[in-house]
Amino acid sequence: MDVADLPGVPEWLPDHLRDDGIEELYPPQAEAVEAGVTEGKNLVASIPTASGKTLIAELAMLSSVARGGKALYIVPLRALASEKQADFEEFEQYGLDIGVSTGNYESEGGWLADKDIVVATSEKVDSLVRNDAPWIEDLTCVVTDEVHLVDDGERGPTLEVTLAKLRRLNPDLQTVALSATIGNAEALATWLDAGLVDSDWRPIDLQKGVHYGQALHLEDGSQQRLSVQNNEKQTAAIVRDTLEDDGSTLVFVNSRRNAEAAAGRLANTVRPHLSDEERGRLADIAEEIRDVSDTETSDDLADAVADGAAFHHAGLSRGHRELVEDAFRDRLVKVVCATPTLAAGVNTPSRRVVVRDWRRYDGSAGGMAPLSVLEVHQMMGRAGRPGLDPYGEAVLIANSHDEVDELFERYVWADPEPVRSKLAAEPALRTHILATVASGFARSREGLLEFLEQTLYASQTDEGGQLERVVDDVLTYLQRNGFLEIEAGELDATSLGHTVSRLYLDPMSAAEIVDGLRDWERGASDSTSASGSPADPQAEPPADSGFTTASELAENAAGSDDDRDPDDISALGLYHLVSRTPDMYQLYLRSGDREEYEMELFEREEELLGPTPSEFEEGRFEDWLSALKTARLLEDWATEVDEATITERYGVGPGDIRGKVETAQWLLGAAESLASEVDLDAARAISEARIRVEHGVREELVDLAGVRGVGRKRARRLFQAGITDRAQLRDADKAVVLAALRGRRKTAENVLENAGHRDPSMEGVEPAPDVSVDLDDGDTDTNGDVTADDDQSSLGDF
DNA sequence: GGTACGCGCCTATAGACAGCATGTC
DNA sequence: CTATAGGCGCGTACC
């Protein structure tokens, strides 16, 4: 189909596409147009990655906007939100306004209501609906990227429920759903009352194969000789072979450690193939990587990159990831060894893809579980860059002759699994039922079930019995914990319930937080026996186990003599409290850790909020310990322990620290709201703990770190120079400030201005000579300090 | 005596959304 | 209920 023949699109679009070198649509795109995407029709497109999904989305959104509408583009990852924003911003020249909204970022300059196209994550959209964002009603078109993720147990239900809500709010809404190739695209189409484009077409050939011994067996039956030389691994042989053809390789492995180890080894394979010029540019990038942070991960990555290899996983910080992705796209880095982060995420195609590990550890399966066909196909789909490579090759690695056949059967020739709704699971319904009631989508049990009828789950199952049963369990749970009231069949969210829904908390997290805080106020004496575990946990839904109901408000109102002062709650206690909620991704407890944290628990049990579960309750006790480990990490961060020490002590990457800190910040913010909601007096302690973790500073720096432009390091330097709070900074001797900030005039001016200094100008000011500021060269003060504390407390016990 | 290698045993295990109100070194 | 790579200690073979 020629771009001139597109019905319903703005008149500038055909020319715009031609300028981009697009004269004709790809076949699946043409099918989509024939199905009416540009004329407001619903559509499900199940097509491979990189076969033009984005254009289908654009056609739908632009034509909808051209008719005076407003479009929403839902992405699964924050990283994709910014990528799509960049894509769509080229339409700004035609007067369109693009906006982005994710948890940590909101586009500035004009509210989202004024935007023509809004990009957001599914959770953010859910949250916007819960908080009654007024512009939601103006939407005329919603595009969902990667809809097959409704199959995901944790995040799928959010997408499902959110789509159902959007469609309910606005029955005329055009719904376009983009999916990877899946087994049951027609089921999605039925659910969304949509036309269907289901195609395998790719703009560039993809040849799948399995490597074993000295040969690469391809799916068309041919074989390529690809010999493994002296001692090298199969992966190395493939990488070398690709390099000889001047191509790059993406290697998928199943753990972070494997990614790092493989990158280190493959660096040796790549090194001899680099030109001098490449070596020079790679050295520069390696230097930038070292600048991002001075952790071991950072060093290892820099070493590998200097040789043209890299690893990529979620433990990397944002800066690291971007540098690696860019260098790979620029073809400087020849090999990237990645965990599945890269397959789901951003656009980094490569000549060849190697799927080295096809099994992955899965705690719920109790061991290694094979990857799904869908996942493997998604990884393989990264092979071949349109316009750059003649074709793409995706290779699985077999370790035996039998495995060759197995891999062909299991992945190369197999069709992807059907997508199935995971909505009927209790944890998902807990949060969505509360939100559905709180935001007025349902006012009775029947209304609730009727609403759930609009989900994929309902369209995929014939017997409603299962769903109904879980719904009743969840309603009971929500009622018992004081989130909902049920009266004469009427459902009503309590004010606590509304708060929880708006805060986007899992109700179970909210219950845990409220109970923990309340338990503290009630005093320690009766808490050891106060575990709310039902007598027979087996008979109760798992959601209930171990929690006193949050509705026992009246019980402690009387107050007793052993009430404790809420200001005495320690930061560790609060960090532990939020770390044990289901909203915090827990740290893995390694074998050696168990003993260490049992000891730690023994020493600091007093500080924790709520009764420690019995050691015989295996699962709960384990969770309690790993929450303690997470809490310790946060405490270290809030005690100015430096990054490198933390990564080493807890076995995490630099990016993980950021993630934990961010989550803790969010949950503590939520805890603050909850405390005031239920009249608990802990707000001050929580707020301080939150600010400390936010800036990563000890108590005495909280005030200083609140000044814009002052982080944990600058705050500490100022403090050492004798400036201990914001007020002092406001009237400080400029010479001292300048010296404390190591003579950086511009920084000092900024800081003083933000602190409200009368005359921030640094002109003619010289750093005061008697102020010494040596904290970042080596692990002198802050770290040394903390390490000493640490030694003291642990040594004292042996 | 030193080194190189191979074997068996032990260990450890992917990803990342959200409130609210603004900004690290 | 499922696996496997890598690191380490140890024993053997060889110079």
Side-chain angles (χ1 to χ4, degrees), chain A residues 8-12 60-70 96 116 140:
Chain A
V9 299
E11 79 259 26
W12 49 261
M61 296 192 297
L62 293 173
S63 56
S64 195
V65 170
R67 288 191 294 273
K70 180 185 180 75
L96 272 75
D116 298 301
T140 55

Side-chain angles (χ1 to χ4, degrees), chain A residues 333-398:
Chain A
V333 163
K334 311 291 184 186
V335 196
V336 173
C337 300
T339 55
T341 2
L342 214 57
V346 287
N347 189 26
T348 39
S350 140
R351 165 84 57 85
R352 260 194 183 136
V353 165
V354 175
V355 180
R356 195 193 75 179
D357 304 330
W358 54 280
R359 279 189 263 245
R360 181 174 51 221
Y361 179 82
D362 177 358
S364 65
M368 301 300 277
L371 300 181
S372 72
V373 179
L374 183 59
E375 271 177 292
V376 172
H377 282 190
Q378 290 262 88
M379 294 177 193
M380 301 222 252
R382 296 277 152 188
R385 295 164 305 169
L388 286 169
D389 292 326
Y391 57 91
E393 266 179 2
V395 185
L396 287 149
I397 303 284

Side-chain angles (χ1 to χ4, degrees), chain A residues 11 52 108 114 180 190 315 379 405 408 455 472 513 579 627 737 776:
Chain A
E11 79 259 26
E108 45 216 307
D114 303 328
T190 308
M379 294 177 193
D405 295 337
F408 265 98
T455 60
D472 285 335
I513 290 171
S579 296
V737 174
D776 55 346

Side-chain angles (χ1 to χ4, degrees), chain A residues 525-653:
Chain A
S525 58
D526 63 338
S527 67
T528 40
S529 59
S531 164
S533 296
D536 179 9
Q538 301 285 327
E540 293 288 330
D544 291 320
S545 55
F547 297 100
T548 36
T549 59
S551 58
E552 290 165 12
L553 244 176
E555 198 175 286
N556 66 326
S560 58
D561 294 338
D562 46 340
D563 271 13
R564 287 182 285 188
D565 185 348
D567 280 352
D568 291 341
I569 303 179
S570 76
L572 181 86
L574 290 166
Y575 297 151
H576 185 262
L577 181 64
V578 297
S579 296
R580 64 188 201 237
T581 66
D583 278 309
M584 176 75 86
Y585 208 77
Q586 297 206 330
L587 281 181
Y588 182 81
L589 207 55
R590 292 179 298 189
S591 57
D593 288 349
R594 181 160 176 126
E595 214 173 329
E596 183 184 347
Y597 289 100
E598 269 178 26
M599 198 56 118
E600 182 82 16
L601 177 63
F602 178 71
E603 285 166 24
R604 306 188 65 175
E605 196 172 355
E606 283 292 292
E607 292 181 46
L608 305 187
L609 291 81
T612 299
S614 145
E615 273 186 64
F616 304 107
E617 277 182 88
E618 246 327 295
R620 293 243 305 134
F621 188 69
E622 286 278 310
D623 285 352
W624 199 262
L625 284 183
S626 52
L628 182 59
K629 182 175 176 184
T630 313
R632 275 292 316 253
L633 183 152
L634 293 168
E635 188 188 45
D636 275 358
W637 173 251
T639 323
E640 295 167 54
V641 178
D642 68 72
E643 244 188 327
T645 313
I646 297 180
T647 54
E648 198 246 342
R649 192 176 291 169
Y650 300 93
V652 295

Side-chain angles (χ1 to χ4, degrees), chain A residues 147-164:
Chain A
V147 240
H148 54 269
L149 293 174
V150 289
D151 200 347
D152 182 286
E154 274 172 53
R155 300 182 54 208
T158 305
L159 181 55
E160 200 179 329
V161 168
T162 301
L163 275 180

